[in-house]
Amino acid sequence: MKPINLLDKLNKFSTHWDPHIIADYNENEIMVAKFSGEFPFHLHEDTDDFFLVLQGEFTMDLKGESHVVKEGEVFVVPRGVSHRPRAVEECHVLLIEPKGTPNTGDPETASDKPRI
């Protein structure tokens, strides 16, 4: 048990849309990621999707609506809802998902989630 410095973790990688696991919480993975550009529309059938903006901002596109999520704000996408995050400029985000959840909703297209 020790504190986790989010800035230190974010400085360990430069890729976009690749969540990196920084801790476990109950049966969940706590991750950090960098967003830039557009992620494809996708959904998670069995779990909600949690986003906390640490730096910058991104837009969450849903069917028929979009929401700007700014630094210090949380956005939760309910399970089964198709969504796409996109960021004009690089944005740093903390994510929480149940262990083993593919970031694209599909294990075939999901990125690895390395532990840092």
Side-chain angles (χ1 to χ4, degrees), residues 51-67:
F51 302 83
L52 166 62
V53 179
L54 301 170
Q55 179 183 324
E57 67 181 39
F58 74 93
T59 300
M60 182 63 74
D61 294 325
L62 306 167
K63 187 175 182 176
E65 61 187 82
S66 296
H67 301 277

Side-chain angles (χ1 to χ4, degrees), residues 17 19 39-49 51 79-83 85 97-98 100-113:
W17 306 113
F39 198 73
F41 271 100
H42 67 286
L43 59 86
H44 305 273
E45 292 287 350
D46 301 322
T47 184
D48 301 336
D49 224 351
F51 302 83
R79 70 191 72 197
V81 173
S82 183
H83 60 284
E97 293 179 338
T101 300
N103 67 326
T104 60
D106 179 359
E108 302 265 333
T109 59
S111 63
D112 291 330
K113 295 182 194 174

Side-chain angles (χ1 to χ4, degrees), residues 17-21 23-33 35 39 42-44 46-51 60 75 77 83 85 93-106 110-113 115:
W17 306 113
D18 296 321
H20 288 69
I21 300 168
D24 297 308
Y25 175 74
N26 293 322
E27 296 301 316
N28 297 294
E29 295 168 331
I30 299 174
M31 300 165 284
V32 290
F35 292 2
F39 198 73
H42 67 286
L43 59 86
H44 305 273
D46 301 322
T47 184
D48 301 336
D49 224 351
F50 175 96
F51 302 83
M60 182 63 74
F75 196 88
V77 178
H83 60 284
V93 180
L94 183 132
L95 309 162
I96 302 174
E97 293 179 338
K99 290 180 182 177
T101 300
N103 67 326
T104 60
D106 179 359
S111 63
D112 291 330
K113 295 182 194 174
R115 187 173 295 275

